[in-house]
Amino acid sequence: QVTTLGGETYGVAVGGVDGALYAANLTGDSVAILDASSLNPVADPISVGQRPFRLATSTSLNLLFTANGDASVSIVDTETNDFESQVAVGEGPAGMAMDEAAGLLYVTNRKSGTVSVVDVASASVPGTPIRVGNWPFRVAVDSQAGRAYVVNAHGGTMSVIDTTTREVETVTVGDGPCGVVVDDQAGVVYVANSSSDNVFVVDVSSLEVIQEIPVGDGPTGIALNPSSGDVYVANAYSHNIAVLRA
């Protein structure tokens, strides 16, 4: 099933009271609201910042976030689908991850080499951006451990941020890391390395790489099934998905 949105679409997310599907229209500076089953529009598009690229949601706060090409993040109330506010971040925002317990949104700024931490309640960025590696692309947050994991696509590294002190440790991973997901139950972080065609498994206690798993060609997207512990890896150039069984 396919639906046409009339513009370049890079980011999608599911959220809201009725489990709506949100799709970022990069060329239309808006977010489409669709029924997740029929893919039909259920409301008028929401105007956000310029060139919205990626989307993220907060399930506990019923909010949608858009990372925009004008170095901003837009915040949308998914109960009302109303635009709430816009927050300035670094250049080239891409990855976003919500620390639900702290009410903080971590945003990777590719061109700035930083991470902005957005206080969602006040729609502000307290403190200075956190300096990480080269071209930070994706981020995953472990609220229980108090860490944010940032993969730096051009540096072959993962920056590990202590969310309390904002201190950063660096872990060497594979080439072209583009995806990251944390399994807090297993105590590991999975990093998809798009240029070395593998997934690194990092122990969260020691921050050491404990396994290197070959997958397909150009792994970029990665997702965890929290119920089973299985990990799904999207391989861009071999046109397939690898499944890492728990």
Side-chain angles (χ1 to χ4, degrees), residues 123-156:
S124 64
V125 181
T128 57
I130 302 169
R131 179 66 56 182
V132 288
N134 188 4
W135 204 261
F137 199 62
R138 291 286 183 267
V139 56
V141 172
D142 184 346
S143 297
Q144 294 181 353
R147 281 177 171 171
Y149 302 93
V150 180
V151 288
N152 305 300
H154 292 178

Side-chain angles (χ1 to χ4, degrees), residues 66-79:
T66 73
N68 307 315
D70 58 358
S72 72
V73 168
S74 299
I75 302 176
V76 173
D77 185 328
T78 57
E79 289 187 302

